[in-house]
């Protein structure tokens, strides 16, 4: 694991005794890119090709010229199958020699934009971003140039969607692909704690068992293991099935303390204090009773079927000094651990961040308002706290002014949809990001927002219903995420290459490489 | 233990089929009858429910959309026949300000009385015009209230209507200041008159009943006195008559029993105030002031004339009236609030802001901008399933069937549920801010962030050339 590996280290020096006794062998997951198609019968396509069976003379022209495999004639069949529209690049094909619509001698083919696009996605996660994420999770590759997805920005009209990366006409230096390093340090303090380095500038956000299924959780941590990064348990307890992946787990201490035990704190290299969540700042957590199934209640040591609240705030923390006591408590329980402090984005988020740094945190994790949630009041999602895109430069510049920036890792989360958002976040001043919704979208989420009650997610992701959970398997989920991470890392490296940078850290705080369409220096 | 304000809510299902956001279109001619969609894919059983519902109708007079938009049936249909679209009827609801989303959430709250909760993240625009260009703040670690979710019941949403003297005078132990009447309402909301268009038989009675149930006050046009003249006294403390200077509909003994009246602004405002005071010296008098370019100056002038309450009324979309470049109500409230502070008059006058208040966040934001409370009317109408189609004139067809007999209990119940949900959402927002008192929220712009200011303060130094 980069500079830090528990396998190589002298375990007696870094792990508490009782952890050594109970530690299980750690599992390795191959970082192997394999095609991983969607798990549904019909893929949703941006464009639909209609074939008029009466006009079609079965000449096969379309079949021969289409390089994407849209037109399929199955062996033994006399007629073409329904066109595989999701493979079609749409009207971009018009300018090529492969445009089946124009080439069909009988005018039997018709291309239209799929009317379902209006129903899929929203302003932030547009249908294009969802489909593009699915495509990357399927192939493990960045989108081909001829793809017609608008993936770089959504349609929210602000924040990331008004920021553009300002590439130079020519890179300042020629950089070979294998020279580019996108890994980041999670411990910038010289405090004797492990120097943990993750291979990609992101890790997985906290999703508790209860809010999502154990299949989702395990897929996340297995992909994190393959990519030498982390996934977070969330607040709902630490599943025994996480234990083979302890080295890639972050466990969360939140106000409800559900499933938090000294033993679970001792298992992991990073502990995250969740003071607030961007989707519902100041409101605490709330697992609706219907999702508190028997297995969830056991994990949380609670009564089945009753709603479970994580009250806001920590009733033991009303000052930075109290926060420091919290951190000391965790460091005492697990001497090798790094501390992450997750806060949302109030007006004084910069002060909170600096205070947290002086209290001894290694990672300041600011969570903006557009992130995912199992359940949150709609009024909170839209209205409370500052958008992340403002909070990052505010915190970064204040940490710089306080001479603390080089000693703390700044992580941003809450609405990171793509590697473009990652690059923009880092240019605004973050070291890296935490992702959550993007992982769920890779697993098939359509953002219908029905994760919160009843049987939970109809897509089998954010549910603890046994019947629904069984519709997704861990191998498929793991592969989808490994593929997505590969595509993102390729995309990020390409961005760095265009800037002539060898390390992702060179991009940190480079707001001069961004333009904002609302200001004057657009290109 | 102090008494807690609580609005009793009961489930009030809609009278008409719901207008959902999504709809499934299928082409049954090629259906394989595999029932994947019905039995396996749809975890909500909506296909079965839809079929049951349609069978129960005498005639299929409307499209029924209960789809949750998960695409499961679309993606699992054996023949790939299904298509999920946005319901065109949903898209046609309201207008560019009163969006379909406002209808959806208002109907849900009117039915259940619950705070709308959903999974996944925020899915809307980054910012927008009006109230969508500001965010409320929250308190991260240090919270003045020191309450958690279990202490929120003690957050007070009460506000006062009337004048608060800036100081008291005493001679010896005896107070010599004369105190004006002051009345309190448990939520910073007052129900406003409905438009003359909305001549619906049960509207005013339902609104008054909802005001009684919630402890709030409804402003009723004195011309509609005949609709409620048989009401007993327990209702009078929840009614504020809007008196026209030339109208003498309301008997004096009734005015003697009400706590608040409203009169329109005019050149003879002092004379009108004195006339009412002669009838009831303890009554609180509000001046209704259309929000125009002259309103800022006029508000200061009225405050100088010892007017106790100014009710500023923008158009239905919250915009300034009689202006070529209308400003939004939140900006005008900030102006008026700021000017009143500068003139040391702020605590002597209550500001009610009306027009464009459609959601509970609008309420919180209007108060943060400087209003003491807000007035609403369209949300109450929408609670009764109105679609704001403006087909309210006699003889027009009302698609929400509001012209037919609606039980007053039902109408008031829906409105009460809505207020119950608004109350809890205000508490949520105040809880996040660490505020215990709605009174303290007034004008506390430090508890808010404004788009323009964030752009200038944070992005300005970075992106301005």
């Amino acid at each position: 694991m980069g500079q830090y590996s528990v396998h190589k280290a002298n375990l007696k020096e870094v792990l508490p005794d009782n952890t050594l006794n109970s530690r299980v062998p750690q599992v390795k997951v191959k970082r192997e890119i394999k095609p991983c198609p969607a798990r549904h019968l019909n893929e949703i396509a941006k464009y639909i090709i209609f074939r008029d069976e009466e006009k079609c003379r079965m000449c096969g022209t379309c079949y021969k010229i289409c390089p994407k495999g849209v037109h399929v004639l199955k062996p033994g069949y006399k007629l073409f199958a329904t066109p595989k529209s999701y493979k079609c690049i749409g009207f971009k094909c018009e300018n090529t020699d492969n445009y089946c619509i124009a080439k069909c001698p009988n005018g039997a083919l018709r291309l239209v934009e799929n009317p379902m696009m209006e129903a899929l996605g929203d302003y932030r996660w547009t249908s294009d971003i969802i489909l593009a994420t699915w495509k990357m999770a399927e192939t493990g590759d960045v989108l081909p140039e001829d793809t017609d997805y608008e993936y770089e920005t959504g349609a929210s009209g602000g924040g990331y969607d008004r920021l553009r990366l300002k590439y130079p006409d020519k890179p300042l230096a020629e950089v070979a692909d294998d020279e580019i390093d996108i890994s980041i340090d999670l411990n910038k303090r010289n405090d004797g704690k492990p120097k943990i380095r993750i291979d990609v500038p992101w890790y997985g956000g906290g999703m508790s068992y209860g809010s999502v299924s154990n299949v989702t959780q395990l897929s996340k941590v297995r992909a994190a293991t393959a990519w030498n990064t982390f996934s977070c348990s969330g607040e709902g307890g630490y599943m025994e099935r996480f234990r083979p992946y302890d080295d890639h787990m972050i466990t969360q201490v939140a106000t409800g303390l559900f499933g938090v035990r000294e033993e679970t704190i001792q298992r992991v290299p990073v502990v995250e204090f969740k003071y607030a969540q961007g989707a519902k700042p100041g409101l605490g957590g709330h697992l609706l009773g219907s999702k508190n199934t028997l297995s969830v209640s056991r994990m949380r040591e609670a009564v089945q079927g009753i709603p479970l609240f994580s009250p806001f705030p920590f009733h033991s923390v009303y000052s930075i000094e109290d926060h420091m006591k919290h951190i000391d408590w965790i460091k005492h329980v697990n001497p090798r651990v790094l501390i992450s402090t997750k806060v949302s984005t109030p007006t004084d988020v910069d002060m909170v961040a600096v205070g947290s740094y002086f209290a001894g945190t290694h990672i300041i994790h600011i969570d903006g308002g557009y992130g995912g949630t199992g359940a949150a009041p709609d009024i909170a999602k839209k209205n409370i706290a500052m958008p992340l895109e403002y909070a990052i430069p505010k915190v970064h510049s204040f940490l710089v002014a306080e001479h603390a920036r080089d000693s703390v890792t700044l992580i941003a989360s809450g609405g990171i949809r793509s590697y473009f958002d990652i690059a923009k976040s880092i240019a605004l001043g973050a070291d890296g990001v935490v992702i959550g919704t993007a992982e769920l979208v890779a697993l098939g989420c359509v953002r219908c927002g029905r994760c919160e009650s009843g049987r939970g997610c109809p897509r089998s992701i954010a549910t603890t219903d046994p019947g629904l959970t069984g519709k997704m398997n861990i191998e498929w989920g793991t592969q989808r995420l490994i593929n997505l991470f590969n595509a993102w890392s390729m995309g990020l490296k390409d961005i760095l290459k265009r800037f002539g940078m060898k390390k992702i850290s060179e991009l940190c705080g480079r707001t001069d490489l961004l333009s904002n369409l609302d200001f004057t220096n657009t290109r | 233990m102090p008494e807690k304000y609580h609005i009793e809510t009961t489930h009030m299902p809609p009278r008409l089929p719901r207008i959902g956001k999504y709809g499934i279109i299928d082409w049954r001619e090629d259906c394989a009858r595999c029932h994947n969609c019905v039995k396996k894919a749809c975890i909500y059983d909506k296909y079965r429910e839809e079929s049951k519902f349609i069978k129960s109708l005498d005639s299929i007079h409307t499209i029924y959309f209960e789809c949750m938009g998960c695409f499961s049936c679309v993606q699992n249909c054996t023949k790939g026949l299904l298509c999920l679209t946005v319901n065109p009827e949903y898209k046609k609801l309201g207008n560019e300000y009163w969006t379909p989303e406002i209808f959806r959430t208002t109907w849900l709250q009117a039915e259940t009385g619950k705070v709308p909760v959903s999974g996944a993240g925020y899915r809307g625009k980054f910012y927008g015009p009006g109230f969508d260009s500001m965010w409320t703040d929250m308190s991260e670690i240090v919270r003045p209230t020191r309450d958690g979710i279990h202490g929120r019941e003690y957050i007070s949403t009460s506000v006062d209507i009337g004048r608060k003297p800036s100081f008291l005078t005493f001679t010896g132990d005896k107070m010599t200041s004369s105190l004006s009447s002051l009345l309190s309402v448990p939520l910073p909301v007052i129900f406003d008159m409905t438009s003359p268009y909305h001549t619906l038989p049960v509207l005013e009675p339902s609104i008054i009943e909802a005001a009684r149930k919630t402890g709030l006050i409804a402003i009723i046009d004195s011309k509609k006195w005949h609709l409620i003249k048989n009401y007993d006294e327990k209702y009078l403390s929840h009614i504020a008559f809007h008196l026209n200077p030339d109208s003498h509909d309301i008997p004096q003994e009734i005015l003697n029993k009400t706590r608040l009246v409203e009169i329109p602004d005019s050149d003879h405002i002092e004379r009108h105030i004195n006339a009412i005071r002669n009838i009831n010296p303890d009554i609180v008098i509000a001046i209704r002031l259309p929000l125009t370019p002259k309103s800022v100056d006029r508000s200061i002038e009225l405050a100088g004339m010892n007017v106790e309450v100014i009710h500023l009324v923008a158009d239905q979309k919250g915009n300034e009236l009689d202006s070529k470049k209308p400003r939004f109500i939140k900006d005008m409230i900030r102006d008026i609030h700021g000017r009143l502070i500068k003139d040391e008059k702020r605590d002597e006058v209550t500001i009610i802001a009306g027009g464009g208040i459609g959601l509970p966040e609008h309420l919180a934001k209007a108060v943060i901008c400087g209003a003491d409370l807000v007035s609403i009317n369209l949300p109450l109408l929408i609670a009764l399933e109105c679609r704001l189609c403006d087909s309210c004139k006699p003889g027009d067809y009302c698609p929400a069937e509001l012209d037919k007999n609606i039980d007053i209990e039902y109408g008031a119940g829906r409105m009460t549920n809505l207020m119950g949900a608004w109350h809890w959402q205000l508490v949520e927002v105040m809880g996040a801010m660490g505020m215990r008192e709605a009174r303290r929220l007034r004008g506390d712009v430090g508890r808010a962030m404004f788009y323009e200011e964030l752009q200038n303060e944070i992005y300005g130094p970075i992106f301005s050339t």
Side-chain angles (χ1 to χ4, degrees):
Chain A
M1 203 176 176
Q3 296 174 27
Y4 162 75
S5 169
V6 290
H7 302 297
K8 292 177 189 168
N10 183 347
L11 297 182
K12 284 188 178 175
E13 289 177 8
V14 294
L15 294 178
D17 288 345
N18 56 348
T19 308
L20 273 177
N21 296 337
S22 62
R23 188 173 167 80
V24 303
Q26 295 295 285
V27 167
K28 288 184 178 175
V29 181
K30 274 189 182 173
R31 193 184 295 182
E32 191 179 4
I33 312 306
K34 291 187 287 193
C36 190
R39 58 196 157 94
H40 299 95
L41 280 176
N42 310 306
E43 298 225 25
I44 299 173
K46 183 172 182 178
Y47 300 100
I48 301 178
I49 291 196
F50 289 106
R51 179 191 302 278
D52 187 334
E53 302 291 354
E54 288 184 7
K55 289 184 180 172
C56 179
R57 295 286 174 265
M58 295 296 296
C59 67
T61 305
C62 54
Y63 172 76
K64 288 171 199 157
I65 62 171
C66 179
K68 302 290 180 183
V70 173
H71 303 283
V72 178
L73 185 60
K74 292 181 187 170
Y77 282 74
K78 289 181 181 173
L79 299 175
F80 281 104
T82 305
K84 293 193 179 300
S85 294
Y86 70 93
K87 294 186 173 181
C88 177
I89 60 170
F91 294 103
K92 258 196 163 182
C93 192
E94 267 181 323
N95 303 323
T96 71
D97 293 333
N98 307 321
Y99 191 49
C100 61
I101 310 298
K103 297 283 180 180
C104 175
N106 303 304
L109 298 171
R110 189 162 55 93
L111 176 67
V112 296
E113 188 156 343
N114 189 344
M116 282 199 291
M117 290 302 96
E118 192 186 2
L120 177 67
D122 47 64
Y123 289 113
R124 292 200 67 79
W125 278 88
T126 58
S127 55
D128 273 18
I129 296 181
I130 291 175
L131 293 178
T133 305
W134 286 350
K135 187 66 83 181
M136 287 186 281
E138 177 182 340
T139 64
D141 204 349
V142 289
L143 299 169
E145 278 186 14
D146 59 7
T147 312
D148 193 20
Y149 298 130
E150 175 50 65
Y151 179 61
E152 186 169 347
T153 55
S156 75
Y160 292 124
D161 294 342
R162 299 291 286 171
L163 295 175
R164 298 289 184 274
L165 293 161
K166 280 200 301 193
Y167 299 111
D169 296 331
K170 202 177 159 193
L172 299 175
E174 289 296 328
V175 183
D177 287 350
D178 57 3
E179 288 181 296
I180 299 173
D181 176 10
I182 57 170
S183 65
I184 60 167
D185 289 320
L186 296 186
N187 180 9
K188 293 185 174 185
R189 287 176 180 268
N190 290 314
D191 62 351
K193 304 285 180 192
K195 289 283 185 186
I196 298 180
R197 196 171 181 84
I198 52 177
D199 286 359
V200 286
W202 67 79
Y203 57 84
M207 294 182 202
S208 64
Y209 179 54
S211 71
V212 296
S213 72
N214 54 14
V215 174
T216 302
Q217 283 189 313
L218 287 167
S219 300
K220 272 164 53 74
V221 69
R222 283 170 55 80
T225 304
W227 277 92
N228 189 29
T229 181
F230 282 94
S231 185
C232 179
S233 67
E235 196 201 3
Y238 198 93
M239 285 195 298
E240 286 300 300
R241 291 175 72 182
F242 281 150
R243 298 191 60 189
Y245 311 100
D246 281 346
D247 292 347
H248 299 278
M249 281 300 298
I250 297 172
T251 195
Q252 197 175 71
V253 178
T255 56
L257 299 175
F258 291 118
V260 174
R261 300 195 307 274
E262 290 197 348
E263 189 214 346
T264 59
I265 289 168
Q266 287 163 343
R267 287 177 188 166
V268 293
V270 182
V271 167
E272 176 178 284
F273 276 109
K274 186 181 85 171
Y275 280 89
Q277 186 176 338
K280 42 189 170 183
L283 303 184
H286 181 186
L287 184 74
L288 300 181
S290 51
K291 289 184 87 171
N292 181 13
T293 58
L294 181 62
S295 57
V296 173
S297 63
R298 280 183 178 161
M299 182 92 72
R300 296 188 178 216
E301 295 167 332
V303 178
Q304 182 187 355
I306 61 160
L308 298 178
F309 292 98
S310 295
F312 184 86
F314 273 111
H315 288 274
S316 48
V317 179
Y318 290 105
S319 66
I320 289 298
E321 290 73 23
D322 291 344
H323 172 48
M324 195 172 188
K325 283 183 196 167
H326 250 184
I327 290 178
D328 288 346
W329 160 49
I330 296 294
K331 284 180 177 174
H332 180 74
V333 172
N334 181 351
R336 65 166 176 139
V337 81
L338 302 188
I339 302 291
S340 168
T341 302
K342 179 179 177 181
V343 295
S344 58
T345 52
T347 314
D348 59 350
V349 59
D350 46 353
M351 298 290 291
V352 172
V354 167
S356 186
Y357 162 71
F358 283 113
T361 197
H362 298 91
I363 301 165
I364 293 166
H365 173 180
I366 50 175
D367 192 27
Y370 303 132
T373 169
D378 290 344
I379 192 171
K381 290 182 190 174
K382 181 184 173 190
N383 297 293
I384 304 178
M386 181 188 299
L388 179 66
E389 296 92 329
Y390 296 126
I392 297 172
K394 189 174 169 76
V395 170
H396 170 73
S397 57
F398 198 58
L399 287 169
V400 169
E402 292 290 312
H403 307 291
R405 185 66 188 90
D406 293 336
S407 304
V408 70
T409 302
L410 178 59
I411 294 290
S413 68
I416 306 294
R417 301 159 295 184
S418 66
Y419 55 83
F420 290 106
D421 285 352
I422 296 177
K424 290 171 188 175
S425 303
I426 293 172
L428 284 171
D431 289 296
V433 302
V434 161
I435 58 168
T437 300
E439 291 177 309
L440 302 190
V441 170
L443 297 179
C445 171
V446 290
R447 283 178 61 78
C448 64
R450 309 288 173 182
C451 2
E452 85 286 5
S453 62
R455 296 174 70 192
C457 171
R459 311 286 296 188
S460 316
I461 302 164
T463 179
T464 48
D465 181 279
L468 294 175
T469 302
K471 289 185 178 180
M472 185 168 76
N473 69 57
I474 294 169
E475 286 70 30
W476 182 87
T478 305
Q479 191 61 54
R480 293 279 286 191
L481 295 175
I482 288 175
N483 286 356
L484 180 73
F485 290 1
N486 191 60
W488 277 20
S489 83
M490 288 169 72
L492 262 182
K493 285 179 179 176
D494 183 57
I495 290 170
L496 293 184
K497 191 174 183 175
R498 292 178 70 178
F499 284 127
M501 293 176 176
K502 287 186 178 176
K503 290 184 174 179
I504 192 85
S505 55
E506 293 174 50
L507 187 60
C508 181
R510 292 291 303 274
T511 49
D512 58 310
L513 301 180
L514 290 172
S515 64
N516 186 317
L517 301 188
D518 296 323
F519 288 80
T520 51
N521 64 341
T522 55
R523 288 186 48 163
Chain B
M1 193 173 279
E3 191 183 342
K4 290 177 271 186
Y5 176 56
H6 175 70
I7 297 176
E8 194 66 42
T9 58
T10 43
H11 192 249
M12 290 281 174
R15 293 166 297 124
L16 305 169
R18 298 170 212 276
I19 302 174
K21 182 172 180 182
Y22 301 108
I24 297 289
I25 297 170
D26 56 19
W27 292 276
R28 289 183 190 273
E29 62 266 26
D30 203 21
C31 174
R33 297 285 188 269
C34 68
H35 291 186
N36 259 356
C37 53
V38 180
K39 290 182 178 169
K40 291 182 186 168
C42 183
I43 72 161
Y44 305 106
D45 276 346
K46 290 303 172 192
Y47 278 95
R48 280 185 252 224
E49 286 179 16
E50 177 176 325
S51 164
K52 207 189 308 175
F53 175 82
I54 290 174
K55 278 180 191 165
S56 74
L57 294 174
D58 293 335
S59 61
I60 300 173
H61 62 288
T62 185
I63 306 169
Y64 183 62
F65 291 101
E66 282 269 8
C67 171
M68 301 292 192
C70 73
F71 286 86
S72 297
C73 61
V74 171
Q75 290 200 269
N76 287 315
C77 170
T78 319
K79 305 276 273 183
L81 297 177
L82 302 179
C83 180
L84 178 68
T85 60
V86 177
N87 177 1
E89 199 179 356
Y90 175 83
K91 285 199 281 187
K92 282 169 76 176
L93 291 171
N95 52 46
E96 76 280 4
Y97 186 88
W98 295 87
T99 59
E101 188 55 28
I102 293 182
F103 286 79
R104 188 195 64 76
T105 185
T106 303
W107 286 342
L108 179 73
Q109 291 167 68
E111 177 180 351
T112 64
K114 291 180 179 171
V115 174
V117 171
S118 61
Y122 174 59
R123 56 192 71 237
K125 289 267 190 185
F126 183 84
Y127 80 105
F131 289 115
D132 287 342
S133 64
M134 66 183 282
W135 295 271
T136 62
D137 199 15
M138 57 84 68
S139 175
E140 189 63 59
I141 294 176
V142 181
R143 290 161 55 81
T145 51
R146 296 202 169 201
D147 54 5
I149 198 161
H150 306 298
R152 290 201 189 138
E153 307 87 64
Y154 294 104
I155 292 176
S156 167
T157 54
S158 292
V159 292
D160 305 314
I161 305 177
R163 180 185 304 132
K164 293 174 201 161
S166 44
F167 58 89
L168 300 174
T169 52
F170 292 86
T171 305
D173 291 339
K174 194 179 174 191
M175 187 174 72
T176 51
S177 302
S178 64
L179 295 182
S180 310
S181 295
L182 193 68
L183 56 99
S184 289
V185 283
L187 196 60
V189 173
I190 192 164
F191 298 159
D192 199 8
M193 292 186 290
T194 51
S195 147
Y197 273 160
H198 303 133
T199 52
L200 308 166
V202 295
L203 195 53
E204 273 73 22
S206 295
I207 289 174
I208 292 168
E209 178 63 20
R212 189 191 64 77
K213 289 172 97 169
T214 54
L216 300 176
I217 293 175
I219 301 172
I220 301 293
D221 192 336
S222 57
K223 289 175 191 160
K224 295 187 178 175
W225 162 244
H226 63 281
L227 287 175
I228 52 176
K229 62 183 175 187
N230 295 327
Y231 277 35
D232 63 35
E233 283 189 19
K234 71 179 177 186
Y235 288 94
L236 287 178
S237 60
H238 299 287
I239 295 174
F241 289 107
H242 175 84
L243 303 174
N244 288 300
D246 55 347
S247 116
H248 303 285
D249 304 301
I250 311 297
Q252 289 193 3
E253 67 267 25
I254 296 298
L255 275 187
N256 257 325
K257 291 173 185 168
T258 55
R259 300 185 292 168
L260 174 70
V261 288
E262 179 181 90
I263 55 174
D265 186 30
S266 72
D267 295 336
H268 312 291
I269 201 76
E270 284 174 307
R271 181 156 56 83
H272 295 151
I273 291 173
N274 289 336
I276 296 167
R277 285 255 183 274
N278 285 337
I279 299 169
N280 181 353
D282 295 328
I283 201 163
V284 177
I285 302 171
I287 309 300
R288 190 181 188 90
L289 181 63
L291 202 60
T292 68
K294 295 176 182 167
S295 302
V296 178
D297 291 337
R298 181 59 178 160
S299 298
I300 308 304
E301 204 179 331
L302 288 172
M305 292 157 64
N306 289 334
V307 163
E308 301 163 315
V309 182
I310 302 172
H311 182 186
L312 298 156
V313 186
D315 72 9
Q316 289 185 348
K317 296 173 186 173
N319 290 323
E320 187 181 26
L321 301 155
D322 304 332
S323 170
K324 284 183 184 165
K325 287 177 92 177
R327 293 198 297 157
F328 191 69
I329 189 168
K330 86 174 198 307
D331 304 312
M332 297 200 68
I333 300 168
R334 284 187 80 181
D335 263 12
I336 293 168
H337 174 74
R339 284 280 301 278
L340 287 169
I341 289 174
K342 203 173 163 193
D343 288 8
E344 300 178 358
K345 290 282 183 192
R346 185 60 191 95
D347 278 337
E348 294 176 28
V349 64
T350 299
I351 298 292
I352 305 174
I357 307 292
L359 293 166
E361 58 257 41
H362 299 171
L363 156 63
K365 289 175 179 178
V367 173
I368 287 172
C369 286
D372 290 274
L373 64 164
V374 300
S375 66
I376 59 167
N377 51 20
L378 293 188
L380 303 176
L381 208 56
I382 295 171
L384 297 181
E385 297 175 81
C386 172
R387 298 148 194 215
L388 298 189
C389 66
D390 283 341
S391 308
C392 307
K393 290 184 277 301
D396 285 352
Y397 167 68
C398 174
E401 300 182 6
L402 294 174
D403 48 349
K404 296 187 180 163
N405 277 337
I406 299 175
D407 182 41
I408 291 172
E409 271 301 309
Y410 176 83
R414 297 267 298 184
M415 294 173 188
T416 303
N417 283 351
L418 183 65
M419 286 302 101
W422 278 36
H423 171 240
W424 277 117
Q425 285 169 93
L426 178 62
V427 169
E428 293 274 17
V429 173
M430 288 175 61
M433 283 186 271
M435 299 290 283
R436 264 191 186 280
E437 285 252 10
R439 293 180 182 92
R440 285 206 298 123
L441 191 62
R442 186 196 73 189
D444 192 351
V445 288
R447 302 281 178 172
M449 292 166 269
F450 296 87
Y451 171 73
E452 298 81 6
E453 291 171 13
L454 288 174
Q455 285 279 101
N456 291 334
E457 287 167 16
I458 297 175
Y459 281 173
I462 297 173
F463 296 116
S464 292
T465 50

